[in-house]
Amino acid sequence: ADTSPLFTGGLETGRMILSTAATIDGKAALKRMVFHDVKPDSFDWDWENSIDGGKSWVAMWKIHYTRRK
């Protein structure tokens, strides 16, 4: 069986936001990926967690990608 999380979402104010329900330390939580500042040769990808139903988000990591020359 596939145990990969199912992300849903779409474009919101110029950012692609995809989220999924999760469990963190035994409590219901949310996780999301936010893709932003998308340009022809680069973009930023943030992974965030929320333990208050999406009212606030904590950055787990921030990644900046650039196209290989």
Side-chain angles (χ1 to χ4, degrees), residues 4-61:
S4 300
L6 174 63
F7 286 87
T8 58
L11 286 174
E12 296 180 28
T13 61
R15 304 180 306 160
M16 173 65 72
I17 301 176
L18 304 172
S19 59
T20 189
T23 303
I24 298 174
D25 295 330
K27 297 179 182 175
L30 297 170
K31 294 186 177 196
R32 72 179 183 182
M33 296 183 289
V34 181
F35 298 91
H36 57 97
D37 296 324
V38 177
K39 299 173 183 150
D41 291 326
S42 66
F43 68 91
D44 291 301
W45 172 25
D46 300 340
W47 183 269
E48 302 172 338
N49 290 346
S50 175
I51 56 171
D52 61 7
K55 294 176 187 167
S56 63
W57 293 90
V58 175
M60 301 311 293
W61 70 72

